[in-house]
Amino acid sequence: MSNASDSTAASGALSGVRIVELSSGVPAALCCKILAGLGAQVVKVEPPGDGSGIRRLGPFPGDTPHPESGVVHLFADTSKQSVTLDWRAPAGADLLVRLLEDADALVEDVPPAEKDAAHSLFDRVARMEQRLVWTAVTPFGQTGPYRDLRMTDLTLAALSGWLFQTGEPGQEPLKAQGHLAEGCVAGATAAIGVLAALFRRGMSGAGQRLDVSCMESLISANRFLETTYAYTGYMTSRLGNRLPNTYPYTIYPCKDGHVAAICITDAQWESLCNMIGMPELLDDPRFTINRDRFQNADALGALLMPWFQQRTAQECFETGQLWRIPFSKVNSMADLLAMEQLHSRGYFESVRHPVAGEMRYPGPAIRFTASPWRAASAAPTLGQHNEQVWCRRLGLSRDDLARLRRQGVV
């Protein structure tokens, strides 16, 4: 790995790894956020002026757009460095190549057609492939008839089959809230790919090129539904909050919200009947096994629901768990920030940003005993590390930097 000397690269598992991020969207940014959290030194290359596209994604405090205060940027760019560079300009292309010469990996989301147009630059990048791990994260991959199509989160959710299976029976398909499709799954998939390629390079000394398709990442994360259809011809339909041949596996309203009520095993079903004071349900032939309970779910739900409606979500959750039944309250974001479990593990981290102020961020999802997840530093302001990277790392003079700034290159 490169001999990174920057102090922000702490002793994480990827300490010493240098990564260049050339992205405008969420998936590549989230990939690099994971790698930065593991200790890699990530330099995010952004266009001069407006910066990366995710800086323009809201919400914004006071509903006032600002390139330094968008929540998506603040979340996705923690623990990174920011430099500005017009890599499409000849002088900018030269600087990008120099930056990559001592980097271990490049993560980019440049559309294939734009890459074709800038082939002279990317041909030079390709010549580094013998040592560089070059990861492209695009909606549909670098090849195929869809490679140049436009996408949004909803586009990918629809094309990958996630929408088809999500929603109430007989109703229109529904989309999951958030950036699950566009960003999270593809970003995590790309990060796994980078780690595997770096591991292989550590053994063989050879880099390689990775082609990550956001759509294929989503399909790969879709459990085994496509395999089930190909194998059995069974088409998964929309079941709302239910699971085939399992009940209760649903959401019930309670006094102050909703509760996920789940009984996977017969032992849990027996515990539930005793817990709610209705042991006679165990002898009801309509509810003997899980398949029976699923086929008579409406009748069973009408019998069970009053117990939930008389209690708060927390009471239902705690009582169910006391009986070893995997109940859960349906948490809001406010509930998460106040959750005792997360506080006891120190999950959330408070980080102060020079423009946005102090914010709380999700912390490590993985705890390491020897190479801890790096505590997040705030997302960088646009071009915050220009002098550090262009001058101290690449050896440009301050006069060079000022000239490039006047020319609009940085």
Side-chain angles (χ1 to χ4, degrees):
M1 304 303 174
S2 301
N3 184 25
S5 58
D6 187 84
S7 60
T8 61
S11 55
L14 296 183
S15 179
V17 174
R18 281 178 162 175
I19 294 173
V20 175
E21 176 188 335
L22 190 66
S23 80
S24 60
V26 176
L30 288 181
C31 166
C32 289
K33 174 186 173 73
I34 294 171
L35 301 172
L38 291 170
Q41 182 190 81
V42 176
V43 175
K44 183 168 183 135
V45 177
E46 305 187 68
D50 294 335
S52 166
I54 68 169
R55 290 180 181 270
R56 295 183 286 281
L57 298 178
F60 299 91
D63 215 16
T64 304
H66 188 287
E68 304 295 353
S69 61
V71 170
V72 179
H73 154 64
L74 292 173
F75 172 79
D77 288 335
T78 52
S79 302
K80 300 177 186 176
Q81 298 176 335
S82 167
V83 297
T84 52
L85 182 71
D86 179 5
W87 54 266
R88 293 172 177 82
D94 290 341
L95 271 182
L96 178 61
V97 169
R98 287 180 61 185
L99 186 62
L100 290 171
E101 284 174 347
D102 72 345
D104 299 290
L106 165 66
V107 178
E108 50 89 359
D109 61 6
V110 180
E114 287 189 37
K115 230 175 294 186
D116 291 344
H119 63 88
S120 61
L121 165 61
F122 287 99
D123 286 348
R124 295 165 70 185
V125 176
R127 289 196 285 274
M128 302 179 193
E129 195 175 311
Q130 55 184 332
R131 60 159 196 83
L132 185 72
V133 173
W134 174 6
T135 303
V137 188
T138 52
F140 305 104
Q142 301 296 298
T143 59
Y146 283 18
R147 69 164 215 159
D148 295 320
L149 298 189
R150 301 295 183 182
M151 74 91 179
T152 66
D153 197 52
L154 187 58
T155 314
L156 287 175
L159 287 173
S160 64
W162 277 82
L163 251 62
F164 182 84
Q165 64 182 336
T166 307
E168 294 295 327
Q171 301 296 314
E172 74 280 8
L174 295 177
K175 172 189 171 298
Q177 181 62 279
H179 288 278
L180 173 69
E182 179 193 3
C184 301
V185 175
T189 302
I192 293 170
V194 173
L195 293 173
L198 288 173
F199 181 78
R200 179 182 180 276
R201 197 192 71 166
M203 295 189 293
S204 68
Q208 60 181 305
R209 199 180 305 185
L210 282 66
D211 177 4
V212 179
S213 156
C214 296
M215 183 176 73
E216 291 166 5
S217 298
L218 269 179
I219 296 172
S220 299
N222 197 12
R223 301 197 302 167
F224 39 76
L225 300 183
E226 302 80 21
T227 306
T228 298
Y229 178 70
Y231 181 51
T232 68
Y234 175 75
M235 179 72 74
T236 301
S237 58
R238 290 186 286 282
L239 292 173
N241 295 318
R242 296 180 182 176
L243 187 69
N245 292 321
T246 303
Y247 198 85
Y249 187 104
T250 190
I251 309 293
Y252 287 136
C254 58
K255 284 175 69 174
D256 60 349
H258 292 84
V259 175
I262 303 161
C263 284
I264 300 291
T265 67
D266 289 338
Q268 291 168 353
W269 165 242
E270 182 177 349
S271 294
L272 175 61
C273 293
N274 289 318
M275 182 187 81
I276 64 175
M278 300 181 71
E280 66 275 16
L281 294 179
L282 295 169
D283 299 321
D284 192 320
R286 295 176 297 170
F287 313 133
T288 303
I289 62 175
N290 239 330
R291 185 194 59 201
D292 301 331
R293 294 192 285 274
F294 178 75
Q295 291 175 346
N296 295 286
D298 290 342
L300 180 55
L303 293 169
L304 298 178
M305 203 174 300
W307 186 89
F308 293 90
Q309 291 173 324
Q310 294 165 10
R311 290 165 175 80
T312 65
Q314 188 67 26
E315 288 174 319
C316 296
F317 166 53
E318 292 177 354
T319 305
Q321 290 289 342
L322 192 63
W323 283 76
R324 311 301 294 170
I325 310 171
F327 281 9
S328 171
K329 60 181 293 192
V330 178
N331 279 330
S332 67
M333 300 306 107
D335 293 331
L336 287 179
L337 288 171
M339 185 186 283
E340 181 184 9
Q341 167 70 11
L342 297 176
H343 278 276
S344 72
R345 287 171 60 81
Y347 175 66
F348 289 107
E349 299 173 344
S350 293
V351 179
R352 176 165 289 281
H353 185 274
V355 176
E358 187 159 327
M359 290 179 57
R360 295 170 70 187
Y361 294 84
I366 308 170
R367 310 295 171 117
F368 294 78
T369 57
S371 53
W373 181 279
R374 190 171 65 188
S377 59
T381 55
L382 181 59
Q384 178 180 339
H385 299 91
N386 274 350
E387 184 167 326
Q388 181 174 339
V389 173
W390 299 135
C391 296
R392 280 182 258 166
R393 179 164 160 179
L394 294 194
L396 299 186
S397 69
R398 289 185 174 179
D399 288 342
D400 291 333
L401 188 61
R403 175 177 51 79
L404 291 169
R405 190 173 286 128
R406 288 194 300 273
Q407 295 172 347
V409 176
V410 300

